[in-house]
Amino acid sequence: MLLYTDILSDGKDEMCSDAFPIKLVDDIVYEVDCQMITVKAGADIDIGANPSAEETEEALEDEILPHGYMKALKEKLPEERREAFEKGAQAYAKKIVANFKDYEFYTGENMDAEGMVALLNYREDGVTPYFTFWKDGLKEVKL
């Protein structure tokens, strides 16, 4: 089994595993199929905060594709990968921004503000969820 951790959190945040199908897209991101889990009605689930939708959407657009994250990630890459990463990330970021309202955003377990933000969207069937992760932001760990 393979586990993928966020390289900017020094492997503290486990982002995904190969337990679900993984597809490499444009040599820049992984799309990982996943499942939604339904919690029983009436269950007390407290995730902490509840910011207003207006504030969140505006802030998230700046935070999801932050130049700081991309810059930090680029610095961790081998020199020969940096140019391809920059071009691929810019092209894929345009796709994300064009469909921004369709995404949900998640951080790793440690809630590291400097770490990777996982992007959740749904396949064309409108039912199958999948996460998008920057390929170069993940470290593969064999278990």
Side-chain angles (χ1 to χ4, degrees), residues 21 23 31-33 121-130:
K23 177 176 140 185
E31 289 183 353
V32 182
D33 288 342
N121 201 347
Y122 291 84
R123 299 273 181 223
E124 294 75 23
D125 63 9
V127 177
T128 308
Y130 70 94

Side-chain angles (χ1 to χ4, degrees), residues 58-135:
E58 212 171 271
L60 281 176
E61 194 160 344
D62 292 332
E63 302 259 334
I64 297 312
L65 306 169
H67 298 289
Y69 172 79
M70 295 303 208
K71 183 178 179 183
L73 182 54
K74 187 175 155 184
E75 289 173 5
K76 289 222 175 215
L77 299 177
E79 189 67 39
E80 62 274 4
R81 176 68 182 150
R82 291 180 184 180
E83 186 176 339
F85 168 74
E86 194 168 345
K87 286 180 182 178
Q90 285 176 354
Y92 202 84
K94 288 178 184 177
K95 294 177 187 178
I96 294 169
V97 171
N99 299 297
F100 190 76
K101 66 181 181 357
D102 298 333
Y103 286 94
E104 295 177 28
F105 308 95
Y106 296 86
T107 62
E109 183 179 1
N110 290 305
M111 306 287 283
D112 184 355
E114 304 299 318
M116 183 182 296
V117 174
L119 309 171
L120 178 74
N121 201 347
Y122 291 84
R123 299 273 181 223
E124 294 75 23
D125 63 9
V127 177
T128 308
Y130 70 94
F131 275 107
T132 301
F133 299 98
W134 297 103
K135 172 189 150 188

Side-chain angles (χ1 to χ4, degrees), residues 2-68:
L2 297 175
L3 180 68
Y4 295 88
T5 61
D6 178 13
I7 66 169
L8 293 185
S9 71
D10 295 322
K12 294 176 191 164
D13 280 333
E14 299 173 354
M15 302 304 289
C16 63
S17 75
D18 64 350
F20 287 97
I22 298 175
K23 177 176 140 185
L24 180 60
V25 178
D26 300 335
D27 195 37
I28 197 68
V29 297
Y30 288 121
E31 289 183 353
V32 182
D33 288 342
C34 54
Q35 285 182 309
M36 286 299 240
I37 298 171
T38 304
V39 178
K40 292 181 183 179
D44 185 21
I45 306 295
D46 184 9
I47 60 169
N50 189 15
S52 72
E54 299 84 36
E55 292 174 9
T56 305
E57 188 168 324
E58 212 171 271
L60 281 176
E61 194 160 344
D62 292 332
E63 302 259 334
I64 297 312
L65 306 169
H67 298 289

